[in-house]
Structures are given as C-alpha cells and as structure tokens.
C-alpha cells in the first residue's frame, strides 16, 4: 500500500507561495512592475502621485501614467510629462520590451542616458524635452528600428549630431520611420552630417539654438 506523505506546514506554505508566483509571472506583468518600481526608486523628488499610486497592491496597468496593451497586458506607453519629477533614468527602463511610447518631458531628470534603452525595439515616440540630461548626445539613437519621433530639446547634450541617425548601412536603421527630430536648445557642435538627407520620411527637424557650424 502506498504511503501518504505529509509535508511540514512551513514547507507546504512555501510551495503554495512559489506556485502563486509562477502563476502571476506567466502574465509577464510583474516583470514590467519591477522595472517601473526601479524607475520610481531613482526619483528623488515626487510631489504628485507616484509615491502612493505606484504600489504593488494594484495592477501596474492601473498606475498613473501607465498604459497597457489589451492583448498581452504589457506596458506599451509611459507618460510622466509635467509631473515636476527629479531623478535619473535607470537601466531597468530598457527592459520594458513592449514599450512604444515614452514621454517624460517638462521634468528635471538629469544625468546621462543608459544604453539599455536600445532594447526598446518597439519604441515609436520618445520625448525627453525640457529636462537636464547632459553628456554627449548618444549615437545609439539611430538604433531604434521603429522610431518616428525623437525630441530631446532644452537639455544639456553636447557633441555632434550623430550621423547614424541617417546611416543607411546600419543593420537596425530607422531611416524609413523617423518623421520628427527636435534637438534644439542643447550644446551641440560641429557640422550637420549629410547622412541626415537619407531620412526619406522626415517631415520636421529643429536644430536651432546650438553651436553648429
């Protein structure tokens, strides 16, 4: 006769919790939640709702500024514009693999931008206007294959306008998709690369208030 095996209660409880975690993770929502909580931890000034609204007690899809897709319930848009936030952008933001819209304009985010943002292969719209980002304008902005609008005005970026924005030899080029570029009011120098002419879908470009030659 087969013997019935009884597990000690603590072990049984751990198995139940572990099973629940696996069940929730199958929805892929906790991963997005974890990455947004990382962003929250890098925000040093938040006079609005993130400090209370971005809580693990509610679904990430109900958080302020967050939009999820109806099919996979993954985060597809993040709009934190005009919230008087101060902080830096952590590398974990690049793990929001379904993100197509990223707007944080009119805040006080500062520092340099993490290269992990290039993992956002679905990104179509990016607006970092009117913040305090600094350092060289990253050349990897040419690596977003679906990017249509790039707005980085009124920051402290320096260096040259990356030629890769219009580099037709790039294996992950956005030549066919970029329609709007705003790099005005920074500290950009040097000449404008002729490769910008390869952006055949471009409708608007603003490079004013820089030190271009």
């Amino acid at each position: 006769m087969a013997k019935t095996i009884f597990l000690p209660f603590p072990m049984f409880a751990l198995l139940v919790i572990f099973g629940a975690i696996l069940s929730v993770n199958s929805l892929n929502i906790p991963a997005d939640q974890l990455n947004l909580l990382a962003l929250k931890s890098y925000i040093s000034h938040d006079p609005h709702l993130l400090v209370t609204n971005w809580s693990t007690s509610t679904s990430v899809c109900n958080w302020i500024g967050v939009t999820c897709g109806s099919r996979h319930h993954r985060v597809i848009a993040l709009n934190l514009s005009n919230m008087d936030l101060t902080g830096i952008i952590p590398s974990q933001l690049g793990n929001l693999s379904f993100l197509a819209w990223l707007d944080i304009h009119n805040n006080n985010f500062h520092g340099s931008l993490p290269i992990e943002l290039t993992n956002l292969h679905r990104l179509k719209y990016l607006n970092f206007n009117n913040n305090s980002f600094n350092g060289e304008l990253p050349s990897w902005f040419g690596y977003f294959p679906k990017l249509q609008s790039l707005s980085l005005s009124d920051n402290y970026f320096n260096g040259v306008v990356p030629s890769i924005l219009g580099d037709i030899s790039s294996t992950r080029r956005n030549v066919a998709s970029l329609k709007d570029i705003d790099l005005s009011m920074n500290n950009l120098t040097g000449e404008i690369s002729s490769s910008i002419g390869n952006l055949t879908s471009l409708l608007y470009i603003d490079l004013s208030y820089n030190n271009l030659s």
Side-chain angles (χ1 to χ4, degrees):
M1 176 182 293
K3 294 183 179 179
T4 302
I5 299 176
F6 294 96
L7 293 174
F9 179 77
M11 184 177 295
F12 176 77
L14 285 174
L15 288 174
V16 171
I17 294 172
F18 183 70
I21 292 173
L22 288 179
S23 176
V24 173
N25 279 342
S26 66
L27 298 176
N28 289 319
I29 294 178
D32 286 349
Q33 185 182 69
L34 184 64
N35 293 313
L36 288 178
L37 287 175
L39 171 62
K40 178 183 175 181
S41 70
Y42 279 87
I43 293 176
S44 57
H45 177 69
D46 171 20
H48 293 289
L49 299 175
L50 298 192
V51 65
T52 55
N53 181 267
W54 282 25
S55 168
T56 55
S57 62
T58 59
S59 168
V60 66
C61 298
N62 294 326
W63 290 2
I64 187 172
V66 176
T67 301
C68 291
S70 57
R71 182 179 178 185
H72 299 291
H73 303 287
R74 298 293 301 274
V75 175
I76 61 173
L78 181 62
N79 186 353
L80 302 180
S81 60
N82 300 295
M83 288 191 178
D84 195 22
L85 302 173
T86 298
I88 63 176
I89 301 298
S91 60
Q92 290 91 334
L93 199 64
N95 295 330
L96 298 175
S97 55
F98 278 72
L99 197 66
W101 183 285
L102 178 55
D103 187 352
I104 60 171
H105 80 273
N106 288 345
N107 285 290
N108 191 32
F109 285 99
H110 55 274
S112 57
L113 299 176
I115 194 173
E116 286 82 3
L117 293 181
T118 57
N119 295 326
L120 303 176
H121 305 315
R122 292 177 169 87
L123 197 64
K124 295 181 179 180
Y125 178 91
L126 186 150
N127 189 342
F128 287 176
N129 288 352
N130 194 20
N131 280 280
S132 299
F133 292 114
N134 55 38
E136 287 195 8
L137 189 67
S139 62
W140 42 257
F141 274 120
Y143 290 151
F144 295 101
K146 297 183 178 181
L147 192 64
Q148 298 179 12
S149 180
L150 174 63
S151 298
L152 303 172
S153 74
D154 202 1
N155 281 280
Y156 298 98
F157 289 114
N158 55 51
V160 299
V161 178
S163 61
I164 198 171
L165 284 176
D167 188 358
I168 60 175
S169 67
S170 174
T171 57
R172 295 164 61 187
R173 58 187 178 273
N174 52 28
V175 172
S177 58
L178 260 175
K179 297 179 180 179
D180 302 287
I181 300 177
D182 187 356
L183 305 179
S184 61
M185 292 186 284
N186 281 285
N187 298 314
L188 303 179
T189 57
E191 298 181 354
I192 301 173
S193 172
S194 61
S195 66
I196 297 297
N198 295 325
L199 299 172
T200 55
S201 297
L202 196 64
L203 300 175
Y204 173 87
I205 183 169
D206 189 349
L207 303 174
S208 61
Y209 296 99
N210 282 287
N211 295 306
L212 298 169
S213 59

